[in-house]
Amino acid sequence: MVRVSDLKKQASSMNKAASGLRSVGRDHTAKPLAEFTAQQHDLGALGALGSLLGAKSEIEKGMTTLSKLTEQLEDEWSAEAKLIGAVSDAFDLLDLLIAAEAKAKKG
């Protein structure tokens, strides 16, 4: 049997998880990604070696790919956070329904 206290714990835990997922991109990856993206075409650190090896173009492509993958990962985290939030809301609603049913049975 599902207990109300269990649902409250699960809902609370899921809310924390959703909040954490929402903040990953905003709090942890936004600035590094912006700095990384800004450096994509400034590969001066490779110097002549990069030019001689023809690596600059490939490195730029790789950096662009990494930036896009990071953005897609953030989108996925955001979608997962929404889903977890929805499940948490459903648990809250179920908790209310169980409590109302228990109250009705008591009379």
Side-chain angles (χ1 to χ4, degrees), residues 41-61:
H41 303 293
D42 182 21
L43 301 175
L46 293 174
L49 179 62
S51 297
L52 290 174
L53 297 175
K56 185 177 182 208
S57 176
E58 291 302 313
I59 292 171
E60 286 176 347
K61 288 178 187 174

Side-chain angles (χ1 to χ4, degrees), residues 14-15 18 22 79-93:
M14 293 179 104
N15 272 328
R22 282 186 204 101
E80 288 178 15
K82 287 178 186 176
L83 177 62
I84 290 170
V87 171
S88 175
D89 291 345
F91 279 0
D92 285 337
L93 179 58

Side-chain angles (χ1 to χ4, degrees), residues 49-100:
L49 179 62
S51 297
L52 290 174
L53 297 175
K56 185 177 182 208
S57 176
E58 291 302 313
I59 292 171
E60 286 176 347
K61 288 178 187 174
M63 291 177 76
T64 299
T65 299
L66 284 172
S67 295
K68 288 179 182 177
L69 289 172
T70 301
E71 290 170 357
Q72 290 173 353
L73 186 58
E74 288 177 358
D75 290 343
E76 185 176 326
W77 287 334
S78 177
E80 288 178 15
K82 287 178 186 176
L83 177 62
I84 290 170
V87 171
S88 175
D89 291 345
F91 279 0
D92 285 337
L93 179 58
L94 184 58
D95 178 45
L96 290 173
L97 293 171
I98 290 171

